[in-house]
């Protein structure tokens, strides 16, 4: 093997004729009542790095899932290197030379680098593995990527995330992929790993590989991409050369001019200081966070996914361990502590993962609403089921939850009604500090408006709300103040009136307010 | 790279940890004044080896299943049914070799059914094999009409004899079979595509499928191979008892699973080795043997083995945390 990576033999890549590597015309995809993609055209040139941009829910992941074969379009035509292309499944997509590199890596952690790279493609003689030539090829590939230092015999579970990504890319190259789709590849990478990744991507481009690059980090995108396409609400709203587009232009394309949603405004006054985070840093948080909130205030937490907002709420509530700093409630140290203790102190958390941890789906509405405060129904260790059901029925009526009765399992409710049950639990618990993580994600407009209304009422009663949302219009419509998180830190803190859609987006993406 | 020293400690720990347990157990009993003179004698070692054969054969298959992220609770029932079938066949006048083959195939068939149901019904292996545990045990009792099946003595009963027929064999033929198959399976796991795919499925099934591994076929295959070994274990059970006993080996599946787990197998899949499992088998066999020689009652053995299982898995956890 040669020591100089540049001199190493270049792996041969699937031949692609000049012109576009992939063409998509009039792609439409509908999930239930939601139109994820509507008449989308997308052209990927050979050997280009193509940024796919858009807000959450704009249709980016649906588009790349269609490319990979994981999702089939309802309508539209695809051509791969000029030939009609309709992959029936992800394996077919992969065999056609399309490799996906997800944030959640597709490696078997117990297998070594070598074993992972050749997984499913093992060379063998009579069932026995043939290793020697294979190892040479993997070494060549790693050297070509400029990473000959990666050991072949270490289980990938022991490598850093950045190194694992390089291993996945090696697998794609060994597969002779002509198209690489990378979904938020840098969100969990340190800066130098990102730099390494970009070098690898540029090398691939030089070999004629096309890369579809999805990222929320606009500055990185500008650094690495040649071309961009912006999706908004399932439509292709603009494309062009990266060099010709300004930052503001792209953001304007992503945000668009949205219809103003209905945000009921409950009149309220702000009271004394309720909550203070004192340089709080959880073990999963990127940095220390200081933040104050008054009674009667709704504070919005804006930022990209992974910016540290969810982790902050979880640390405050004691779900994640604290590394340093503390939480003060009305000027007194109040944690962090275990969740049961935080609940006793008046904290309530609504999880972003409604199905996973927000609700006990197979249990009844009554069980879910009363779970974090069973005290009122307890007498000598026994629960009064009747009283409990009556209380739940009251919340069902108050929040306008559409359900057959309080005894029915939550699993049978629509998303919006499930979310109202989750909110009802916090209200029933009579929490003073409501930590709401994406409370309106994936629910219908009417339910959203009702949840906004209840948030306003809770604030008017003197409670304080920390409101995490990735949907800026609702933050602007509901909050009194909005702070922006970027890579684990708060980078801006202003009254809601001083923010706009565009400025929130820009601050979230760049970290500069 | 900074990885280097870490890996070395890891590798050494992984290699030595299971041996340490075995050495510790042997050293402990060899030092006991009451048994030290007898414990390491050839006759005793031979007897421990022979006693280990059935659990060891079961553990060979169970290692594949556990590495692949599965579990087989029907192992002991499988052994019972296979031994009954072998006895039944020989009792019915079939040649012993045919009885042996039928016993093994019975085991394989149960494994095949397990694997097929797990992959087709998409149910967790715990449930499927727990059901099979009852089905196979019931079938064994049914076929044997709830009694032991007597069978004429044949060369099959020599397989587990401590004084083997050509004396140069030294060890019972069953022990040799166990050794040969252990080597074969170690090679299969390490040097074949099949083995590699078992690890991949246990480690990350979704990734394996995405990479084109035929997960359904591989899973059915490793359950079947495991069943074949249990069938052979059943024949050995028949060989030892000289009768087909449908009530034999109750609870043995837990011994088999314990051996694999003590040997470093992870119940969440992706980890385990034949060497480790065999060491697990012998740790338990030497413990039983030593306790018996010491004259310790049965309940002491049970407590000690219980402690060892927990300790072995706890040690495994520590290793994992270091990995993370």
């Amino acid at each position: 093997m040669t020591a100089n990576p540049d001199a190493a033999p270049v792996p041969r890549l699937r031949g692609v004729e000049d012109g576009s590597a992939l063409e998509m015309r009039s792609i439409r995809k509908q999930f239930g009542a939601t139109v994820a993609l509507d008449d989308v055209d997308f052209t990927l040139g050979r050997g280009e790095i193509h940024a796919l941009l858009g807000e959450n829910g704009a249709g980016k992941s649906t588009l790349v899932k269609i490319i990979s074969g994981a999702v089939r379009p309802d309508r539209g035509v695809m051509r791969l290197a000029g030939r009609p292309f309709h992959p029936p499944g992800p394996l077919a997509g992969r065999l056609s030379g399309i490799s996906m590199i997800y944030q959640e890596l597709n490696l078997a952690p117990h297998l070594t680098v070598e074993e992972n790279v050749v997984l499913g493609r093992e060379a063998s003689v009579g069932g026995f593995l043939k290793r020697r030539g294979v190892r040479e090829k993997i070494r060549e590939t790693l050297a070509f990527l400029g990473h000959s230092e990666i050991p072949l015999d270490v289980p990938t579970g022991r490598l850093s995330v950045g190194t694992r990504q390089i291993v996945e890319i090696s697998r794609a190259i060994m597969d002779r992929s002509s198209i690489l789709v990378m979904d938020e590849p840098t969100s969990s990478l340190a800066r130098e790993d990102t730099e390494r990744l970009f070098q690898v991507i540029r090398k691939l481009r030089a070999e004629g590989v096309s890369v579809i690059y999805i990222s929320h980090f606009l500055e990185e995108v500008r650094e690495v991409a040649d071309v961009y396409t912006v999706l908004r609400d399932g439509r292709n709203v603009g494309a062009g050369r990266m060099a010709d587009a300004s930052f503001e232009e792209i953001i304007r394309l992503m945000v668009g001019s949205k219809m103003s949603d209905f945000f009921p405004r409950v009149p309220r006054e702000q009271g004394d200081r309720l909550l203070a985070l004192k340089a709080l840093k959880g073990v999963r948080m990127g940095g220390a966070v200081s933040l104050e909130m008054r009674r009667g205030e709704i504070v919005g937490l804006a930022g990209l996914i992974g910016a540290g907002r969810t982790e902050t709420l979880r640390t405050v509530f004691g779900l994640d361990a604290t590394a340093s700093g503390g939480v003060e409630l009305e000027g007194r140290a109040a944690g962090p502590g275990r969740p049961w203790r935080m609940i006793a102190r008046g904290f309530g958390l609504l999880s972003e993962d409604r199905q996973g941890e927000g609700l006990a789906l197979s249990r009844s509405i009554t069980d879910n609403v009363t779970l974090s405060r069973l005290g009122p129904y307890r007498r000598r260790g026994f629960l009064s089921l009747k009283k409990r059901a009556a209380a739940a029925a009251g919340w069902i009526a108050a929040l306008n939850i559409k359900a057959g009765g309080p005894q029915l399992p939550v699993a049978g409710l629509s998303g919006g009604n499930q979310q109202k049950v989750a909110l009802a639990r916090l209200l029933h618990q009579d929490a003073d500090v409501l930590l709401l993580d994406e409370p309106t994600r994936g629910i219908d407009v009417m339910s959203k408006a009702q949840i906004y209304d209840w948030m306003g009422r809770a604030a008017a009663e003197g409670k304080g709300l920390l409101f995490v949302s990735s949907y800026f219009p609702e933050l602007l419509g509901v909050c009194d103040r909005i702070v922006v998180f970027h890579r684990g830190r708060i980078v801006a803190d202003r009254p809601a009136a001083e923010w706009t859609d565009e400025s929130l987006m820009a601050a979230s993406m760049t970290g500069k307010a | 790279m900074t990885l280097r020293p870490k890996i070395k400690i890891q590798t050494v720990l992984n290699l030595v940890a299971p041996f340490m347990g075995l050495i510790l157990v042997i050293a402990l009993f060899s030092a006991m004044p009451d048994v030290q003179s007898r414990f390491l004698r050839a006759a005793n070692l031979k007897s421990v080896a022979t006693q280990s054969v059935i659990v060891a054969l079961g553990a060979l298959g169970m290692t594949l299943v556990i590495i692949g992220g599965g579990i087989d609770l029907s192992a002991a029932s499988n052994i019972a049914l296979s031994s009954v079938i072998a006895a039944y066949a020989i009792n019915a006048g079939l040649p012993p070799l045919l009885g042996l083959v039928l016993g093994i195939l019975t085991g394989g068939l149960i494994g095949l059914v397990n694997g097929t149901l797990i992959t087709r019904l998409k149910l967790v292996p715990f449930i499927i094999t727990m059901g099979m545990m009852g089905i196979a045990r019931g079938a064994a009792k049914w076929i044997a009409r709830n009694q032991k099946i007597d069978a004429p003595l044949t060369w099959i009963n020599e397989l587990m004899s401590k004084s083997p027929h050509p004396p140069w064999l030294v060890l019972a033929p069953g022990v040799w079979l166990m050794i040969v198959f252990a080597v074969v399976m170690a090679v299969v796991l390490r040097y074949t595509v099949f083995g590699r795919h078992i690890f991949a499925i246990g480690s990350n099934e979704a990734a394996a499928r995405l990479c084109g591994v035929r997960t359904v076929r591989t899973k059915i295959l490793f359950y079947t191979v495991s069943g074949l070994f249990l069938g052979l274990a059943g024949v050995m059970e028949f060989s030892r008892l000289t009768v087909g006993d449908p009530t034999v080996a109750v609870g043995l599946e837990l011994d088999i699973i314990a051996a694999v787990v003590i040997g470093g197998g992870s119940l969440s899949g992706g980890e385990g080795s034949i060497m480790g499992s065999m060491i697990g088998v012998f740790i338990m066999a030497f413990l039983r043997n030593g306790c018996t020689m010491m004259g310790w009652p049965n309940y002491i053995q049970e407590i000690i083995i219980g402690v060892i299982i927990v300790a072995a898995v706890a040690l495994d956890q520590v290793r994992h945390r270091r990995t993370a």
Side-chain angles (χ1 to χ4, degrees):
Chain A
M1 238 198 70
T2 41
N4 178 5
D6 291 329
V10 168
R12 280 185 307 138
L13 299 155
R14 187 181 294 269
V16 180
E17 295 90 53
D18 283 313
S20 60
L22 177 76
E23 262 185 85
M24 303 173 85
R25 291 285 165 263
S26 312
I27 299 290
R28 185 185 166 83
K29 179 70 195 177
Q30 204 167 336
F31 295 106
T34 322
V35 179
L37 290 175
D38 190 6
D39 206 22
V40 168
D41 290 351
F42 180 77
T43 307
L44 178 67
R46 183 184 172 200
E48 85 181 7
I49 302 174
H50 196 129
L52 192 55
L53 303 169
E55 289 190 287
N56 297 321
K60 293 167 297 180
S61 6
T62 309
L63 190 70
V64 297
K65 276 182 185 157
I66 287 173
I67 295 171
S68 76
V71 167
R72 286 205 226 186
D74 300 333
R75 234 184 20 228
V77 208
M78 285 199 279
R79 296 176 80 79
L80 183 69
R83 281 187 291 274
F85 175 59
H86 298 282
L91 186 60
R94 196 177 159 206
L95 291 172
S96 313
I98 295 170
S99 285
M100 305 283 290
I101 292 170
Y102 291 101
Q103 212 188 114
E104 283 308 312
L105 299 148
N106 280 301
L107 295 174
H110 299 97
L111 300 194
T112 64
V113 171
E114 174 195 344
E115 289 166 351
N116 265 296
V117 169
V118 299
L119 185 57
R121 304 265 188 289
E122 293 88 350
S124 63
V125 181
F128 284 88
L129 294 159
K130 219 176 72 184
R131 288 181 72 195
R132 190 170 296 144
V134 175
R135 289 173 73 83
E136 291 310 308
K137 260 189 215 151
I138 299 171
R139 285 219 181 88
E140 281 168 19
T141 309
L142 288 174
F144 161 68
L145 295 176
H147 289 280
S148 31
E149 84 285 357
I150 297 177
L152 296 192
D153 296 316
V154 174
T156 53
R158 244 177 262 155
L159 302 172
S160 72
V161 181
T163 309
R164 275 185 256 170
Q165 245 165 7
I166 306 286
V167 173
E168 271 217 66
I169 294 173
S170 315
R171 180 156 80 194
I173 297 175
M174 296 279 287
D175 280 356
R176 299 184 178 182
S177 295
S178 58
I179 296 176
L180 221 60
V181 180
M182 312 185 96
D183 193 351
E184 294 285 353
T186 61
S187 60
S188 44
L189 292 191
R191 184 62 216 175
E192 62 263 31
D193 283 333
T194 304
E195 212 39 67
R196 290 205 305 178
L197 182 70
F198 286 177
Q199 282 168 12
V200 165
I201 293 176
R202 291 193 185 105
K203 272 199 174 136
L204 292 174
R205 172 175 61 189
E207 290 305 313
V209 176
S210 311
V211 177
I212 298 175
Y213 189 91
I214 299 179
S215 174
H216 275 112
F217 298 111
L218 213 49
E219 288 184 328
E220 287 180 8
V221 168
R222 285 181 65 90
E223 189 183 331
V224 73
D226 308 311
V227 184
Y228 69 89
T229 294
V230 179
L231 295 183
R232 187 175 73 228
D233 300 329
R235 290 171 171 279
N236 181 340
V237 292
R241 299 205 63 79
M242 207 76 214
D244 305 338
S246 76
F247 220 74
E248 291 69 29
E249 230 174 300
I250 290 174
I251 287 179
R252 207 173 310 125
L253 283 174
M254 291 170 68
V255 175
S257 51
K258 290 213 181 64
M259 285 193 307
S260 58
D261 288 272
F262 177 56
F263 298 108
R265 191 81 192 169
V266 183
R268 56 179 181 259
E269 282 176 8
Q270 291 188 10
D272 300 332
R273 200 177 74 182
L274 176 64
L275 175 78
L277 311 187
K278 300 276 185 189
L280 182 69
K281 187 178 180 314
V283 290
R284 296 203 301 167
M285 287 165 63
V289 167
S290 293
L291 181 65
E292 293 191 356
M293 178 169 67
R294 298 180 169 277
R295 285 195 176 274
E297 193 178 25
I298 303 179
V299 178
L301 275 56
L304 303 173
I305 290 170
R309 301 166 301 162
T310 295
E311 291 76 8
T312 302
L313 293 196
R314 292 179 68 89
T315 307
V316 170
F317 196 62
L319 279 171
D320 287 353
T322 304
S324 59
V327 177
E328 280 183 8
L329 190 66
E330 298 190 297
R332 276 199 303 264
R338 297 283 160 114
W340 65 268
R341 181 158 276 161
M342 298 311 281
I343 287 173
R345 286 176 184 147
F347 287 74
L349 176 91
L350 186 146
S351 168
E352 65 171 339
D353 182 5
R354 188 166 67 224
Q355 316 239 323
E357 61 177 10
L359 293 166
L361 284 180
S362 61
R363 304 302 304 167
S364 69
I365 297 173
T366 305
D367 279 342
N368 274 286
V369 169
T370 58
L371 188 58
S372 45
R373 180 167 164 249
L374 287 166
Y377 318 110
R378 196 167 54 195
R379 180 159 288 179
R380 293 189 204 99
F382 287 94
L383 280 178
S384 162
L385 300 182
K386 214 191 266 174
K387 264 204 233 166
R388 212 170 58 118
W395 283 108
I396 290 175
L399 284 165
N400 202 8
I401 297 169
K402 290 193 186 64
Q407 78 287 357
L408 292 179
V410 171
L413 304 180
S414 74
N417 285 307
Q418 286 186 356
Q419 203 64 336
K420 288 188 206 165
V421 172
L423 182 64
R425 181 172 64 79
L426 300 197
L427 296 172
H428 171 267
Q429 182 195 321
D430 202 19
D432 257 352
V433 179
L434 280 76
L435 311 168
L436 307 177
D437 199 353
E438 302 280 1
T440 63
R441 177 186 283 173
I443 68 176
D444 60 292
V445 181
M446 272 312 289
S447 301
K448 276 187 188 178
Q450 286 164 347
I451 284 179
Y452 300 145
D453 184 41
W454 269 97
M455 288 171 63
R457 287 199 218 183
E461 280 176 28
K463 300 174 187 300
L465 288 78
L466 285 184
F467 177 25
V468 170
S469 171
S470 298
Y471 184 53
F472 298 139
E474 73 178 7
L475 287 177
L476 292 166
V478 172
C479 297
D480 302 299
R481 224 172 80 221
I482 299 173
V483 299
V484 176
F485 278 69
H486 181 78
R487 300 213 172 207
R489 288 167 205 286
I490 293 181
V491 293
D493 182 346
R494 286 184 217 154
E498 293 177 22
W499 288 105
T500 62
D501 234 6
E502 284 83 1
S503 64
L504 278 177
M505 176 68 85
S508 299
M509 286 189 154
T510 62
K512 289 176 208 127
Chain B
M1 273 196 75
T2 48
L3 281 164
R4 279 287 147 70
K6 212 168 159 189
I7 291 156
K8 256 190 188 151
I9 296 166
Q10 199 70 39
T11 322
V12 170
L13 204 63
N14 284 350
L15 266 172
V16 169
F19 276 109
M20 292 280 279
L22 185 57
I23 292 164
L24 203 73
V25 167
I26 293 175
L28 206 76
F29 284 112
S30 315
M32 294 279 185
D34 297 344
V35 296
Q36 86 194 124
S37 53
R38 289 173 293 150
F39 191 69
L40 279 179
R41 260 220 205 117
N44 188 47
L45 294 181
K46 250 159 98 170
S47 127
V48 170
T50 314
Q51 282 161 11
S52 307
V53 168
I54 290 162
V55 174
L57 288 173
L60 290 180
M62 190 68 81
T63 305
L64 304 193
V65 171
I66 284 179
I67 290 173
I71 192 83
D72 184 2
L73 297 180
S74 66
S77 301
N78 189 340
I79 290 174
L81 180 58
S82 305
S83 78
V84 164
I85 293 286
Y88 190 92
I90 292 167
N91 194 33
L94 293 178
L97 183 64
L98 202 55
L100 179 134
V101 169
L102 281 175
I104 294 173
L105 288 182
T106 304
L109 182 69
I110 295 173
L112 178 69
V113 172
N114 276 337
T116 309
L117 290 179
I118 286 164
T119 48
R120 298 299 170 193
L121 296 182
K122 298 198 167 73
L123 287 178
V124 289
F126 189 96
I127 298 297
I128 297 285
T129 59
M130 188 161 70
M132 185 55 81
M133 174 164 91
I135 294 168
R137 179 70 66 180
K141 290 179 180 169
W142 184 17
I143 289 166
R145 296 210 172 80
N146 233 344
Q147 335 166 346
K148 297 183 170 78
I149 296 182
D150 286 313
L153 282 179
T154 62
W155 58 264
I156 291 216
N157 302 103
E158 298 286 310
L159 290 175
M160 292 287 272
S161 159
K162 271 172 229 169
S163 36
H165 188 41
W168 51 263
L169 272 177
V170 182
L171 297 169
V175 176
W176 287 115
L177 275 179
M178 167 184 87
I179 293 169
V180 168
F181 278 122
V183 172
V184 168
M185 290 322 288
V187 169
V188 164
L189 266 182
R190 186 146 175 69
Y191 295 107
T192 68
V193 175
F194 175 53
R196 174 88 47 95
H197 285 181
I198 296 175
F199 275 102
I201 289 172
S203 178
N204 185 347
E205 189 171 345
R209 192 179 301 119
L210 186 124
C211 291
V213 173
R214 296 172 72 170
T215 52
V216 169
R217 207 175 70 162
T218 308
K219 279 166 117 175
I220 292 178
L221 195 56
F222 71 63
Y223 276 104
T224 306
V225 170
S226 170
L228 290 170
F229 276 113
L230 292 167
L232 182 60
V235 173
M236 292 301 158
E237 190 74 83
F238 162 68
S239 160
R240 188 174 70 90
L241 297 174
T242 69
V243 293
D245 181 356
T247 62
V248 83
V250 171
L252 199 72
E253 70 275 355
L254 296 182
D255 278 11
I256 296 173
I257 294 168
V260 177
V261 168
I262 289 172
S266 160
L267 286 185
S268 50
E271 275 178 285
S273 69
I274 294 292
M275 178 62 109
S277 299
M278 288 300 108
I279 288 168
V281 169
F282 280 102
I283 285 179
M284 294 208 295
F286 273 113
L287 260 176
R288 291 232 159 86
N289 176 262
C291 290
T292 313
M293 288 184 125
M294 291 294 293
W296 290 345
N298 202 38
Y299 52 80
I300 296 282
Q301 297 178 27
E302 285 173 7
I303 291 172
I304 292 179
I305 288 176
V307 169
I308 296 242
I309 291 171
V310 175
V313 177
L315 193 78
D316 218 46
Q317 281 277 355
V318 173
R319 280 191 332 198
H320 274 269
R321 239 170 259 151
R322 201 163 298 176
T323 316

